[in-house]
Amino acid sequence: NSAKQATELLKAKDYFNQQEFDLAIQNYAVLIKHYPQQAEQLYSDWLAHLKHWLTTNKLSIADEFLRVFLNRYPYDISMLKMNAERLVKSQQPHQAIVALYNLKPLADNTKQHTIIIELKHLTQLHVKTLSEQQAWQELIEKTTIWLDYDSSNSYYLLAQANAFYQLDDYINAQNSLDRLNPN
């Protein structure tokens, strides 16, 4: 039994190291079923590798692994969070924001608080960038999507109202302002 256990773990590690992620994850599934402690250790190792890849800007390999892993385990909170980090590192802030909004309901209260802080930071940075570029139409499109997730967010509504105003669309600017909470 311990020999079989070691074999499955080694196969999963070898496949991972050879970047044969489909096979690595298949072996991981076997480990989860029969040897959960080894699966947990392997998972921790994979998270460490992902963090290293993100730190060293090996984004394509991180993307490939995350795509395969999340295809098999689409609700894995830690891997979804890593994917959001990858999107930020890949200069895809809007996609990262949407990924975090999709992750938020899956997370516990502590992780939700962290996600909210990260969302605030990312959205403010993205609004600032789009405003500096005077990309008003893009800002309207992005805030419209974000408001689907957080319909009463005053920051998004104000950014959207300003973008409409900059485009001389005073009616829609006023509509955005009217959606603000009176307080």
Side-chain angles (χ1 to χ4, degrees):
N1 192 20
S2 65
K4 173 86 171 135
Q5 178 178 341
T7 302
E8 291 298 326
L9 183 61
L10 284 174
K11 283 195 317 192
K13 286 182 176 184
D14 285 344
Y15 287 137
F16 181 85
N17 291 334
Q18 295 167 18
Q19 298 177 8
E20 294 183 31
F21 299 130
D22 286 323
L23 296 172
I25 292 167
Q26 286 176 13
N27 277 84
Y28 173 71
V30 170
L31 288 170
I32 288 174
K33 186 175 181 179
H34 299 289
Y35 314 106
Q37 286 182 317
Q38 280 64 35
E40 190 175 319
Q41 179 58 49
L42 183 63
Y43 182 86
S44 295
D45 291 347
W46 288 355
L47 280 176
H49 273 89
L50 275 169
K51 288 177 185 173
H52 175 72
W53 290 338
L54 293 176
T55 302
T56 58
N57 287 320
K58 295 180 179 172
L59 303 176
S60 61
I61 191 82
D63 177 43
E64 185 180 339
F65 174 76
L66 285 165
R67 184 181 43 75
V68 173
F69 189 93
L70 290 170
N71 188 44
R72 178 91 183 235
Y73 302 101
Y75 302 108
D76 185 285
I77 292 172
S78 296
M79 292 296 179
L80 287 167
K81 179 79 171 85
M82 295 298 285
N83 192 47
E85 290 178 32
R86 181 195 60 80
L87 290 166
V88 170
K89 295 281 271 181
S90 299
Q91 304 298 315
Q92 299 177 42
H94 175 69
Q95 290 84 345
I97 291 164
V98 170
L100 286 170
Y101 266 118
N102 288 323
L103 172 60
K104 189 178 157 200
L106 302 174
D108 62 25
N109 287 340
T110 305
K111 289 181 182 174
Q112 278 189 7
H113 180 70
T114 304
I115 291 168
I116 290 167
I117 291 169
E118 192 166 349
L119 279 167
K120 183 177 180 180
H121 172 73
L122 283 175
T123 55
Q124 288 177 348
L125 198 61
H126 200 44
V127 166
K128 180 181 180 211
T129 300
L130 293 174
S131 296
E132 288 171 352
Q133 296 171 350
Q134 297 184 354
W136 306 119
Q137 190 59 46
E138 186 177 353
L139 183 55
I140 291 166
E141 292 166 7
K142 301 295 167 81
T143 54
T144 299
I145 292 168
W146 303 342
L147 285 164
D148 285 343
Y149 293 99
D150 190 358
S151 62
S152 62
N153 186 302
S154 58
Y155 185 76
Y156 304 164
L157 290 167
L158 287 170
Q160 188 177 68
N162 181 53
F164 280 123
Y165 178 80
Q166 297 298 328
L167 294 173
D168 298 327
D169 186 346
Y170 304 120
I171 293 172
N172 279 320
Q174 185 61 51
N175 288 339
S176 292
L177 291 173
D178 289 343
R179 290 177 56 192
L180 284 170
N181 183 331
N183 295 330

